[in-house]
Amino acid sequence: MNSGFENYTNCPMHITSMDVLIEDVSLPTSSSGDYFNQCANEEFGVPSNFKGSQKAAEGSAYIGLYFYALNDYREYVQLNTTRTLREKHPYKISFQVSLAEYSKQALKTMSVILVNKKVKVPNSSVLTHSRLDLQNDVRFQEVQLTADNSMTETDEWVTLSAEFDAKGFENHILLGNFQNNGNTQLINRDDVAYSGDFSYYYIDNFKLEELPRVNYEKDKIYVMEQNPFEPKGYELDAKALASVQKIFKYLKDNAEVQMKITGHADNIGTKEYNKFISSLRARAVALHLKKLGIAEDRIVWEGVGDTKPLRNGKLKSNDFEDGRVEFVMTKVNNH
């Protein structure tokens, strides 16, 4: 709700608790971040304000938080979801950040914590797992985020995102740094770090969406990726690894299913080499699934070389199109 911080009750003109200014935003601790809007004065304006200058990622407003400061001082924001997330359903969360120019430190990583109820704890120190554990009836899960650029970026907005499976209780999102200073991984923007250095980020444009559940029909042949390898290679690329992750989720949630993986090669090399490389391709998928935690007896793999080309061996625009991995999901045979 109010994912871009556009809905406000009062325009920021001086230091005021952020939850008083913005609709559907609350503060989980006694500290408060800052609200910036085009309607405000120079101190809290957009793009120019007392922390630097940055245009909004979308709309005309954003917020700012201290993620790292002296004596473990932290600022957090708490957002409401429109409804409680559905158990075992996949979701994607994303938002954008930009490091304020005056910050001498940048964080290497960020995360969010999803909780089952509005959190409110005293003082402004770090909101650690142990502090959340002490709150009555609070359930939570932390989700690590991946950035599409360096967190030292001050000119442009950096998108942080993650996909996760909901546990079925999540209806509020906490954003901030949940580690104390000693455990926070930092990137120094200058050669020398001082005790008074801080890390302050502008934040905008939250998105939370439910993804379609991964499902595979039994006994149907699927192509994991069309040409998921470098020519002649067998190591999985980033796109193929994302597919393997979806396969893993499906196998984890469907214990009665086993999987057969078949590796294929083009017909450019010798028969022996093509058989060898196709086996490595199937094996790469099988090994990654085992590494993620799928039992060995649920995975069967083989390489068939160039014996089963696509389109019955007719002329193709891409010589390497036959280099692929196929898989079939079947019911576990207990006999």
Side-chain angles (χ1 to χ4, degrees), residues 1-8 18 22-25 34-38 46 55-64 77 79-80 94-96 157 202-208:
M1 299 176 68
N2 200 7
S3 56
F5 311 107
E6 300 297 312
N7 303 327
Y8 61 93
M18 191 164 55
I22 318 173
E23 295 178 9
D24 299 307
V25 166
D34 303 297
Y35 182 47
F36 303 101
N37 195 304
Q38 287 180 6
V46 172
K55 62 184 184 298
E58 60 88 36
S60 58
Y62 50 77
I63 65 170
V77 67
L79 306 177
N80 305 343
S94 68
F95 59 92
Q96 292 175 279
W157 289 92
Y202 301 126
I203 303 149
D204 198 4
N205 199 20
F206 266 84
K207 293 178 182 177
L208 177 64

Side-chain angles (χ1 to χ4, degrees), residues 201-219:
Y201 283 91
Y202 301 126
I203 303 149
D204 198 4
N205 199 20
F206 266 84
K207 293 178 182 177
L208 177 64
E209 59 180 324
E210 184 174 333
L211 302 174
R213 295 186 77 168
V214 177
N215 188 43
Y216 300 105
E217 294 180 33
K218 307 293 190 299
D219 302 316

Side-chain angles (χ1 to χ4, degrees), residues 24-91:
D24 299 307
V25 166
S26 55
L27 303 174
T29 68
S30 63
S31 62
S32 174
D34 303 297
Y35 182 47
F36 303 101
N37 195 304
Q38 287 180 6
C39 69
N41 57 23
E42 292 182 359
E43 289 288 291
F44 297 94
V46 172
S48 297
N49 49 66
F50 77 100
K51 282 298 184 185
S53 180
Q54 182 57 276
K55 62 184 184 298
E58 60 88 36
S60 58
Y62 50 77
I63 65 170
L65 299 176
Y66 280 99
F67 280 73
Y68 176 91
L70 189 64
N71 297 326
D72 285 334
Y73 175 76
R74 296 287 185 273
E75 292 176 345
Y76 300 92
V77 67
Q78 186 166 228
L79 306 177
N80 305 343
T81 63
T82 55
R83 61 179 181 269
T84 301
L85 306 191
R86 297 200 288 170
E87 184 179 5
K88 292 185 178 179
H89 280 251
Y91 289 82

Side-chain angles (χ1 to χ4, degrees), residues 38-183:
Q38 287 180 6
C39 69
N41 57 23
E42 292 182 359
E43 289 288 291
F44 297 94
V46 172
S48 297
N49 49 66
F50 77 100
K51 282 298 184 185
S53 180
Q54 182 57 276
K55 62 184 184 298
E58 60 88 36
S60 58
Y62 50 77
I63 65 170
L65 299 176
Y66 280 99
F67 280 73
Y68 176 91
L70 189 64
N71 297 326
D72 285 334
Y73 175 76
R74 296 287 185 273
E75 292 176 345
Y76 300 92
V77 67
Q78 186 166 228
L79 306 177
N80 305 343
T81 63
T82 55
R83 61 179 181 269
T84 301
L85 306 191
R86 297 200 288 170
E87 184 179 5
K88 292 185 178 179
H89 280 251
Y91 289 82
K92 180 178 182 179
I93 189 169
S94 68
F95 59 92
Q96 292 175 279
V97 301
S98 180
L99 187 69
E101 287 94 328
Y102 300 144
S103 295
K104 295 298 178 81
Q105 303 282 358
L107 270 65
K108 282 188 177 180
T109 60
M110 278 191 190
S111 63
V112 293
I113 287 183
L114 296 105
V115 292
N116 65 322
K117 60 187 287 190
K118 190 175 288 187
V119 172
K120 185 63 177 178
V121 298
N123 69 51
S124 58
S125 60
V126 184
L127 196 57
T128 59
H129 282 210
S130 58
R131 291 190 76 194
L132 287 171
D133 281 331
L134 293 173
Q135 305 310 304
N136 190 33
D137 297 327
V138 170
R139 301 173 65 192
F140 62 92
Q141 74 154 319
E142 186 168 5
V143 175
Q144 294 294 328
L145 302 157
T146 301
D148 69 351
N149 203 343
S150 171
M151 303 277 281
T152 61
E153 182 63 55
T154 58
D155 295 331
E156 303 296 332
W157 289 92
V158 177
T159 300
L160 292 152
S161 61
E163 293 184 12
F164 66 95
D165 289 336
K167 297 184 179 179
F169 59 74
E170 302 90 339
N171 55 31
H172 286 76
I173 304 166
L174 305 178
L175 173 63
N177 177 11
F178 306 101
Q179 301 290 334
N180 60 29
N181 285 2
N183 291 329

Side-chain angles (χ1 to χ4, degrees), residues 238-277:
K239 201 172 179 183
L241 288 172
S243 291
V244 174
Q245 187 67 36
K246 291 179 181 177
I247 293 167
F248 163 70
K249 285 183 180 180
Y250 179 80
L251 291 172
K252 185 177 70 169
D253 293 339
N254 296 272
E256 78 287 357
V257 171
Q258 64 184 13
M259 178 183 184
K260 180 178 179 181
I261 306 164
T262 306
H264 298 264
D266 54 64
N267 63 359
I268 293 176
T270 65
K271 293 287 183 186
E272 293 77 13
Y273 178 79
N274 291 340
K275 172 79 171 175
F276 171 68
I277 200 72

Side-chain angles (χ1 to χ4, degrees), residues 296-326:
E296 191 168 348
D297 59 4
R298 294 180 63 196
I299 303 171
V300 178
W301 60 270
E302 68 169 341
V304 296
D306 57 9
T307 61
K308 295 182 180 179
L310 291 168
R311 303 178 196 168
N312 297 317
K314 293 179 182 178
L315 184 67
K316 301 177 292 295
S317 58
N318 184 346
D319 288 338
F320 299 107
E321 202 170 81
D322 284 329
R324 67 196 190 276
V325 168
E326 295 176 345

